[in-house]
Amino acid sequence: YFLREFRIQQEKMAGIGQLSAGIAHEINTPLGYVKSNLETLERYVLKLEGLYKLQQKGTDNYEKQTLEEYKTNCSALRDYIKDNNIEFIYSDLGDAVNESSRGLNKIDKIVKSLLGFSKRTETTNFVQYYINKGIKDTLVIANNEIKHYAKVNEDLEEVPYIMAIDGEVNQVILNMIINAVYAIKEKGEFGNITVHTYKEDDFVYCEIADDGMGISEDHLKRIFEPFFTTKPVGLGTGLGLSITYDIIVNKHGGHIEVESQIGKGTKFIIKLPIKQHVEIMD
């Protein structure tokens, strides 16, 4: 038991470690254009401050100005607007703010998903768990691993909460997604990953299918054996399938099966007992 728990924790850390560079990249991209926009906005503010001061100079005590002074001030204001591209600045301000807002929202989404994911991986108790939320958080975290090789199609039906060790189920989902990416990458074509959840009787199902290389019949017979892998040394990410099987079947009283055809793809079907559920909250 203790050896099994040690291996689970060890492979959890390995999986997160391999994904960390991708997560950093996902954050750095929007962060980069937010920083760039802030630098641009700083320059815009200085130019607009200059415009404001010039405008104030022209309007202060304007009733005491001579006609020539008034014309001089208006001419200076007009030249300043032209020389400093003030019309462009006004047109660009909205775009810069909106783009920065989108970038910050994306960073916020990634950080919240990562925090939620990491907090749940620390738990070892059964809690109320909503698998659709776990899938969405996992996809955000794994996006950099996925986006260059596959499109993810989410078919998440309304399902009840289940009683589960949420962190370990999330790790299973993460492992399945990364396995699907690897199978598609091995095929050498941009592919599709479909994640489908639904309820049937007293169980919640999660199907993760890809159109990658597929698994041979000989390998299918051994796929849940301890230490068995079809990947070259050093290319594994996250939990091995034997530990995945242990989490789903032994710990949760569920079931996991796999269907695959060489050259056409693979589908993993995870079946988890509901045990207890509550109303889904917005």
PDB file of all heavy atoms in Angstrom, residues 238-258:
ATOM      1  N   GLY A 238       3.091  11.784 -16.249  1.00  0.00           N
ATOM      2  CA  GLY A 238       1.992  11.519 -15.322  1.00  0.00           C
ATOM      3  C   GLY A 238       1.884  10.061 -14.942  1.00  0.00           C
ATOM      4  O   GLY A 238       2.842   9.303 -14.983  1.00  0.00           O
ATOM      5  N   LEU A 239       0.689   9.660 -14.544  1.00  0.00           N
ATOM      6  CA  LEU A 239       0.474   8.328 -14.007  1.00  0.00           C
ATOM      7  C   LEU A 239       0.548   7.266 -15.091  1.00  0.00           C
ATOM      8  O   LEU A 239       0.028   7.434 -16.192  1.00  0.00           O
ATOM      9  CB  LEU A 239      -0.906   8.257 -13.353  1.00  0.00           C
ATOM     10  CG  LEU A 239      -1.181   9.249 -12.234  1.00  0.00           C
ATOM     11  CD1 LEU A 239      -2.598   9.064 -11.738  1.00  0.00           C
ATOM     12  CD2 LEU A 239      -0.201   9.100 -11.104  1.00  0.00           C
ATOM     13  N   GLY A 240       1.188   6.129 -14.764  1.00  0.00           N
ATOM     14  CA  GLY A 240       1.143   4.982 -15.655  1.00  0.00           C
ATOM     15  C   GLY A 240      -0.249   4.379 -15.635  1.00  0.00           C
ATOM     16  O   GLY A 240      -1.040   4.609 -14.724  1.00  0.00           O
ATOM     17  N   LEU A 241      -0.557   3.568 -16.639  1.00  0.00           N
ATOM     18  CA  LEU A 241      -1.916   3.031 -16.743  1.00  0.00           C
ATOM     19  C   LEU A 241      -2.229   2.021 -15.648  1.00  0.00           C
ATOM     20  O   LEU A 241      -3.391   1.835 -15.294  1.00  0.00           O
ATOM     21  CB  LEU A 241      -2.122   2.419 -18.128  1.00  0.00           C
ATOM     22  CG  LEU A 241      -2.261   3.455 -19.251  1.00  0.00           C
ATOM     23  CD1 LEU A 241      -2.316   2.768 -20.606  1.00  0.00           C
ATOM     24  CD2 LEU A 241      -3.504   4.307 -19.051  1.00  0.00           C
ATOM     25  N   SER A 242      -1.212   1.363 -15.116  1.00  0.00           N
ATOM     26  CA  SER A 242      -1.484   0.440 -14.010  1.00  0.00           C
ATOM     27  C   SER A 242      -1.957   1.204 -12.779  1.00  0.00           C
ATOM     28  O   SER A 242      -2.866   0.765 -12.063  1.00  0.00           O
ATOM     29  CB  SER A 242      -0.238  -0.383 -13.668  1.00  0.00           C
ATOM     30  OG  SER A 242       0.805   0.446 -13.183  1.00  0.00           O
ATOM     31  N   ILE A 243      -1.357   2.360 -12.529  1.00  0.00           N
ATOM     32  CA  ILE A 243      -1.777   3.178 -11.391  1.00  0.00           C
ATOM     33  C   ILE A 243      -3.135   3.810 -11.685  1.00  0.00           C
ATOM     34  O   ILE A 243      -3.989   3.926 -10.805  1.00  0.00           O
ATOM     35  CB  ILE A 243      -0.722   4.255 -11.072  1.00  0.00           C
ATOM     36  CG1 ILE A 243       0.597   3.581 -10.654  1.00  0.00           C
ATOM     37  CG2 ILE A 243      -1.208   5.181  -9.973  1.00  0.00           C
ATOM     38  CD1 ILE A 243       1.705   4.538 -10.340  1.00  0.00           C
ATOM     39  N   THR A 244      -3.344   4.209 -12.936  1.00  0.00           N
ATOM     40  CA  THR A 244      -4.650   4.716 -13.345  1.00  0.00           C
ATOM     41  C   THR A 244      -5.734   3.677 -13.066  1.00  0.00           C
ATOM     42  O   THR A 244      -6.799   3.982 -12.524  1.00  0.00           O
ATOM     43  CB  THR A 244      -4.635   5.062 -14.848  1.00  0.00           C
ATOM     44  OG1 THR A 244      -3.731   6.150 -15.055  1.00  0.00           O
ATOM     45  CG2 THR A 244      -6.009   5.449 -15.340  1.00  0.00           C
ATOM     46  N   TYR A 245      -5.460   2.434 -13.429  1.00  0.00           N
ATOM     47  CA  TYR A 245      -6.391   1.330 -13.184  1.00  0.00           C
ATOM     48  C   TYR A 245      -6.638   1.166 -11.690  1.00  0.00           C
ATOM     49  O   TYR A 245      -7.789   0.995 -11.247  1.00  0.00           O
ATOM     50  CB  TYR A 245      -5.808   0.039 -13.770  1.00  0.00           C
ATOM     51  CG  TYR A 245      -6.701  -1.170 -13.617  1.00  0.00           C
ATOM     52  CD1 TYR A 245      -7.622  -1.512 -14.608  1.00  0.00           C
ATOM     53  CD2 TYR A 245      -6.625  -1.979 -12.476  1.00  0.00           C
ATOM     54  CE1 TYR A 245      -8.445  -2.619 -14.474  1.00  0.00           C
ATOM     55  CE2 TYR A 245      -7.441  -3.081 -12.328  1.00  0.00           C
ATOM     56  CZ  TYR A 245      -8.346  -3.405 -13.323  1.00  0.00           C
ATOM     57  OH  TYR A 245      -9.157  -4.498 -13.181  1.00  0.00           O
ATOM     58  N   ASP A 246      -5.578   1.252 -10.913  1.00  0.00           N
ATOM     59  CA  ASP A 246      -5.690   1.095  -9.464  1.00  0.00           C
ATOM     60  C   ASP A 246      -6.578   2.188  -8.860  1.00  0.00           C
ATOM     61  O   ASP A 246      -7.435   1.918  -8.010  1.00  0.00           O
ATOM     62  CB  ASP A 246      -4.296   1.141  -8.835  1.00  0.00           C
ATOM     63  CG  ASP A 246      -4.322   0.892  -7.344  1.00  0.00           C
ATOM     64  OD1 ASP A 246      -4.885  -0.134  -6.936  1.00  0.00           O
ATOM     65  OD2 ASP A 246      -3.792   1.722  -6.585  1.00  0.00           O
ATOM     66  N   ILE A 247      -6.388   3.424  -9.325  1.00  0.00           N
ATOM     67  CA  ILE A 247      -7.184   4.551  -8.811  1.00  0.00           C
ATOM     68  C   ILE A 247      -8.660   4.367  -9.144  1.00  0.00           C
ATOM     69  O   ILE A 247      -9.533   4.523  -8.282  1.00  0.00           O
ATOM     70  CB  ILE A 247      -6.657   5.884  -9.386  1.00  0.00           C
ATOM     71  CG1 ILE A 247      -5.295   6.226  -8.757  1.00  0.00           C
ATOM     72  CG2 ILE A 247      -7.653   7.015  -9.140  1.00  0.00           C
ATOM     73  CD1 ILE A 247      -4.604   7.403  -9.415  1.00  0.00           C
ATOM     74  N   ILE A 248      -8.955   4.032 -10.389  1.00  0.00           N
ATOM     75  CA  ILE A 248     -10.349   3.949 -10.831  1.00  0.00           C
ATOM     76  C   ILE A 248     -11.040   2.700 -10.277  1.00  0.00           C
ATOM     77  O   ILE A 248     -12.162   2.773  -9.759  1.00  0.00           O
ATOM     78  CB  ILE A 248     -10.435   3.958 -12.369  1.00  0.00           C
ATOM     79  CG1 ILE A 248      -9.873   5.272 -12.933  1.00  0.00           C
ATOM     80  CG2 ILE A 248     -11.878   3.730 -12.831  1.00  0.00           C
ATOM     81  CD1 ILE A 248     -10.583   6.512 -12.457  1.00  0.00           C
ATOM     82  N   VAL A 249     -10.384   1.558 -10.371  1.00  0.00           N
ATOM     83  CA  VAL A 249     -11.029   0.290 -10.021  1.00  0.00           C
ATOM     84  C   VAL A 249     -10.936  -0.003  -8.524  1.00  0.00           C
ATOM     85  O   VAL A 249     -11.957  -0.244  -7.860  1.00  0.00           O
ATOM     86  CB  VAL A 249     -10.418  -0.863 -10.843  1.00  0.00           C
ATOM     87  CG1 VAL A 249     -11.036  -2.195 -10.427  1.00  0.00           C
ATOM     88  CG2 VAL A 249     -10.625  -0.615 -12.337  1.00  0.00           C
ATOM     89  N   ASN A 250      -9.722   0.005  -7.987  1.00  0.00           N
ATOM     90  CA  ASN A 250      -9.536  -0.402  -6.590  1.00  0.00           C
ATOM     91  C   ASN A 250      -9.952   0.676  -5.592  1.00  0.00           C
ATOM     92  O   ASN A 250     -10.565   0.379  -4.564  1.00  0.00           O
ATOM     93  CB  ASN A 250      -8.080  -0.808  -6.354  1.00  0.00           C
ATOM     94  CG  ASN A 250      -7.679  -2.015  -7.194  1.00  0.00           C
ATOM     95  OD1 ASN A 250      -8.531  -2.871  -7.501  1.00  0.00           O
ATOM     96  ND2 ASN A 250      -6.427  -2.092  -7.590  1.00  0.00           N
ATOM     97  N   LYS A 251      -9.598   1.923  -5.892  1.00  0.00           N
ATOM     98  CA  LYS A 251      -9.903   2.990  -4.930  1.00  0.00           C
ATOM     99  C   LYS A 251     -11.335   3.492  -5.038  1.00  0.00           C
ATOM    100  O   LYS A 251     -11.941   3.887  -4.036  1.00  0.00           O
ATOM    101  CB  LYS A 251      -8.931   4.160  -5.118  1.00  0.00           C
ATOM    102  CG  LYS A 251      -7.542   3.910  -4.556  1.00  0.00           C
ATOM    103  CD  LYS A 251      -6.760   5.203  -4.509  1.00  0.00           C
ATOM    104  CE  LYS A 251      -5.444   5.004  -3.776  1.00  0.00           C
ATOM    105  NZ  LYS A 251      -4.709   6.273  -3.637  1.00  0.00           N
ATOM    106  N   HIS A 252     -11.861   3.542  -6.269  1.00  0.00           N
ATOM    107  CA  HIS A 252     -13.167   4.155  -6.475  1.00  0.00           C
ATOM    108  C   HIS A 252     -14.274   3.151  -6.807  1.00  0.00           C
ATOM    109  O   HIS A 252     -15.432   3.554  -6.967  1.00  0.00           O
ATOM    110  CB  HIS A 252     -13.084   5.212  -7.584  1.00  0.00           C
ATOM    111  CG  HIS A 252     -12.348   6.442  -7.189  1.00  0.00           C
ATOM    112  ND1 HIS A 252     -10.972   6.526  -7.206  1.00  0.00           N
ATOM    113  CD2 HIS A 252     -12.798   7.638  -6.739  1.00  0.00           C
ATOM    114  CE1 HIS A 252     -10.611   7.728  -6.800  1.00  0.00           C
ATOM    115  NE2 HIS A 252     -11.690   8.423  -6.508  1.00  0.00           N
ATOM    116  N   GLY A 253     -13.934   1.886  -6.921  1.00  0.00           N
ATOM    117  CA  GLY A 253     -14.947   0.891  -7.241  1.00  0.00           C
ATOM    118  C   GLY A 253     -15.549   1.094  -8.616  1.00  0.00           C
ATOM    119  O   GLY A 253     -16.700   0.736  -8.867  1.00  0.00           O
ATOM    120  N   GLY A 254     -14.760   1.692  -9.508  1.00  0.00           N
ATOM    121  CA  GLY A 254     -15.233   1.952 -10.860  1.00  0.00           C
ATOM    122  C   GLY A 254     -14.717   0.922 -11.848  1.00  0.00           C
ATOM    123  O   GLY A 254     -14.354  -0.204 -11.482  1.00  0.00           O
ATOM    124  N   HIS A 255     -14.665   1.331 -13.093  1.00  0.00           N
ATOM    125  CA  HIS A 255     -14.235   0.424 -14.155  1.00  0.00           C
ATOM    126  C   HIS A 255     -13.563   1.252 -15.243  1.00  0.00           C
ATOM    127  O   HIS A 255     -13.936   2.401 -15.481  1.00  0.00           O
ATOM    128  CB  HIS A 255     -15.441  -0.333 -14.724  1.00  0.00           C
ATOM    129  CG  HIS A 255     -15.068  -1.377 -15.727  1.00  0.00           C
ATOM    130  ND1 HIS A 255     -14.415  -2.536 -15.373  1.00  0.00           N
ATOM    131  CD2 HIS A 255     -15.258  -1.440 -17.064  1.00  0.00           C
ATOM    132  CE1 HIS A 255     -14.212  -3.269 -16.463  1.00  0.00           C
ATOM    133  NE2 HIS A 255     -14.712  -2.630 -17.504  1.00  0.00           N
ATOM    134  N   ILE A 256     -12.569   0.676 -15.886  1.00  0.00           N
ATOM    135  CA  ILE A 256     -11.922   1.343 -17.010  1.00  0.00           C
ATOM    136  C   ILE A 256     -11.666   0.313 -18.101  1.00  0.00           C
ATOM    137  O   ILE A 256     -11.230  -0.809 -17.830  1.00  0.00           O
ATOM    138  CB  ILE A 256     -10.597   2.043 -16.578  1.00  0.00           C
ATOM    139  CG1 ILE A 256      -9.955   2.760 -17.764  1.00  0.00           C
ATOM    140  CG2 ILE A 256      -9.634   1.064 -15.941  1.00  0.00           C
ATOM    141  CD1 ILE A 256      -8.796   3.661 -17.360  1.00  0.00           C
ATOM    142  N   GLU A 257     -11.983   0.688 -19.324  1.00  0.00           N
ATOM    143  CA  GLU A 257     -11.697  -0.199 -20.447  1.00  0.00           C
ATOM    144  C   GLU A 257     -11.193   0.621 -21.618  1.00  0.00           C
ATOM    145  O   GLU A 257     -11.302   1.855 -21.633  1.00  0.00           O
ATOM    146  CB  GLU A 257     -12.938  -0.996 -20.841  1.00  0.00           C
ATOM    147  CG  GLU A 257     -14.117  -0.157 -21.285  1.00  0.00           C
ATOM    148  CD  GLU A 257     -15.340  -1.027 -21.576  1.00  0.00           C
ATOM    149  OE1 GLU A 257     -15.825  -1.692 -20.632  1.00  0.00           O
ATOM    150  OE2 GLU A 257     -15.781  -1.019 -22.740  1.00  0.00           O
ATOM    151  N   VAL A 258     -10.622  -0.070 -22.582  1.00  0.00           N
ATOM    152  CA  VAL A 258     -10.028   0.614 -23.727  1.00  0.00           C
ATOM    153  C   VAL A 258     -10.431  -0.084 -25.012  1.00  0.00           C
ATOM    154  O   VAL A 258     -10.508  -1.317 -25.068  1.00  0.00           O
ATOM    155  CB  VAL A 258      -8.485   0.672 -23.589  1.00  0.00           C
ATOM    156  CG1 VAL A 258      -7.875  -0.709 -23.445  1.00  0.00           C
ATOM    157  CG2 VAL A 258      -7.852   1.411 -24.764  1.00  0.00           C
TER     158      VAL A 258
END
